[in-house]
Amino acid sequence: QHPGWVNERVNLSDWEGKEQVGGIFHGNTWGQVAAMLTVAEIPGIYVNPAQQELFVFDHVEARLEGDQIMISNPTMFDARVRIFIDRDRSKPYAEGYVSRCPEIEVKAGTDVTYTF
C-alpha cells in the first residue's frame, strides 16, 4: 500500500487467509488508470468565454468576471489547477491539448486572479 494507489476491491472474506480480511492486494488496477486519464483529459477549470460559462472540476472555487477568473482554495492543501479556455469551438482540439493548457498554483487558503 502506497500513497496514491487506487484499488477496486477490499477482501470481505477470508478466502485469501484470515490475515487478509479487510485488506487490498498490492498492484495497479483499472481504477488507477482511470484516475490518470481523468487528470490528463479533464482540466481543473473549463471556461467558455463566448457564453461566459465556467465549470470547476477541482477542489477550488472559481468565478468568471469578464476576462478574469477569480480562484479561491478553501482547503488545507496547495493546488495546481489547469485552465482550459475554450476559444475556438469550430473544430476539435488536438490530442493532448488539455495537458498543454496553462496551469496555475493556488496555495491553501488563498485567492488568485488569472487573466486570459
Side-chain angles (χ1 to χ4, degrees), residues 28-77:
N28 297 324
T29 68
W30 68 270
Q32 195 163 343
V33 174
M36 289 187 301
L37 288 171
T38 299
V39 169
E41 297 189 8
I42 298 179
I45 298 174
Y46 167 86
V47 178
N48 177 346
Q51 301 296 317
Q52 286 292 290
E53 294 176 322
L54 178 140
F55 299 95
V56 178
F57 301 101
D58 211 323
H59 68 278
V60 296
E61 297 171 356
R63 70 181 189 282
L64 188 59
E65 293 184 8
D67 65 349
Q68 293 187 321
I69 305 168
M70 312 314 197
I71 306 167
S72 299
N73 182 353
T75 74
M76 301 182 316
F77 305 97

